[in-house]
Amino acid sequence: MISHSRGPDRTVRRHDLVVVCPLAWRAQIEAREDVANDPLVASWIDRQWPLVGRRSFVGEGEGVALGLPLPPVAGKRRLSFLMQHADIVSVTRPPPLSWAGQAAPAGWCPTLERICDLASRYGFDARVFGSLAWHALTGLDYLTDRSDLDFLFHVSGDLDLLRLHSALAKIEADAPMRLDGELVREDGGAANWREFGCGARDVLVKSIDGVGLLPQSQFILGSSPS
């Protein structure tokens, strides 16, 4: 597993990796007919593989909302779980792009290097989620010919969003995959990088608590959607 672990009292954000107690996991699996007989799901935590933070559903109840995206060979199902805070063993940020990139197809490497260089120039913390992250974390075949590169840039300060959009667009033009990245503020609010090049006044900001529109000029300042 990767480092950068935080204590279980840390607030879980979207894309965070969460390891839960094996006993609580087994109890949850045994109570669900849809996964009770699935050996991969049953052994997930025993293999020390994490779940992922997600937004809770309306009326879902109290607890920590987590997901488990299965690989294509297992039907590419997106399973949802609600665990209690006492069940959380550790909370970890998504893996660094430089680390996960070691598991990427050879054809992806030039694009990953360009994105890492861009992040370094801007002083971003670059991380990855989605298919590449799960492939690197588990060794299972998550990547296909149609997989996107899902990355996260943790941003702050005085940022020229249009200039950043232009730089990413140039990288994508030469890339063998679609770039589906998010810019993430210190409070966890995130917007897709494409939002800043389409000419729209507002951007769609996502967080663990919900989704809302926010003027582009206010996104980097940390304002919340109305």
Side-chain angles (χ1 to χ4, degrees):
M1 276 294 293
I2 58 175
S3 57
H4 307 289
S5 181
R6 304 294 183 89
D9 59 337
R10 177 177 181 262
T11 299
V12 175
R13 295 179 174 179
R14 293 174 60 246
H15 307 308
D16 276 354
L17 304 177
V18 181
V19 174
V20 302
C21 171
L23 287 177
W25 180 247
R26 294 189 194 107
Q28 179 125 176
I29 297 304
E30 290 171 0
R32 288 181 49 164
E33 295 182 359
D34 61 329
V35 293
N37 297 317
D38 189 318
L40 177 59
V41 176
S43 66
W44 195 267
I45 299 303
D46 291 331
R47 299 186 189 197
Q48 297 185 324
W49 292 343
L51 305 176
V52 62
R54 63 171 175 84
R55 287 190 299 274
S56 60
F57 304 129
V58 175
E60 189 171 17
E62 295 295 326
V64 182
L66 302 173
L68 196 172
L70 294 176
V73 70
K76 208 173 181 179
R77 289 183 293 163
R78 297 294 185 263
L79 304 177
S80 299
F81 299 91
L82 189 68
M83 308 299 294
Q84 299 306 307
H85 289 277
D87 301 329
I88 304 302
V89 174
S90 67
V91 180
T92 310
R93 284 187 175 185
L97 179 58
S98 57
W99 177 85
Q102 300 175 53
W108 283 31
C109 292
T111 300
L112 298 181
E113 290 175 1
R114 291 180 67 183
I115 293 176
C116 286
D117 288 344
L118 180 65
S120 179
R121 290 202 306 270
Y122 275 89
F124 296 153
D125 180 20
R127 295 179 180 268
V128 66
F129 64 105
S131 298
L132 178 58
W134 290 109
H135 178 69
L137 288 164
T138 67
L140 300 178
D141 292 329
Y142 277 87
L143 292 170
T144 70
D145 292 339
R146 294 173 291 181
S147 294
D148 298 337
L149 173 60
D150 304 298
F151 65 88
L152 302 169
F153 279 175
H154 290 265
V155 302
S156 62
D158 186 14
L159 176 63
D160 187 337
L161 295 170
L162 292 178
R163 184 177 180 182
L164 175 60
H165 175 274
S166 178
L168 286 170
K170 289 179 181 178
I171 293 175
E172 185 178 51
D174 299 324
M177 82 296 275
R178 183 175 185 271
L179 304 186
D180 192 18
E182 294 185 358
L183 309 183
V184 186
R185 306 183 312 197
E186 292 182 353
D187 65 356
N192 192 284
W193 70 273
R194 298 178 193 280
E195 294 271 346
F196 300 95
C198 63
R201 174 181 175 272
D202 298 329
V203 295
L204 188 68
V205 180
K206 301 178 181 179
S207 72
I208 197 71
D209 299 316
V211 179
L213 291 173
L214 188 71
Q216 287 196 24
S217 59
Q218 296 182 26
F219 170 75
I220 202 65
L221 300 178
S223 302
S224 299
S226 56

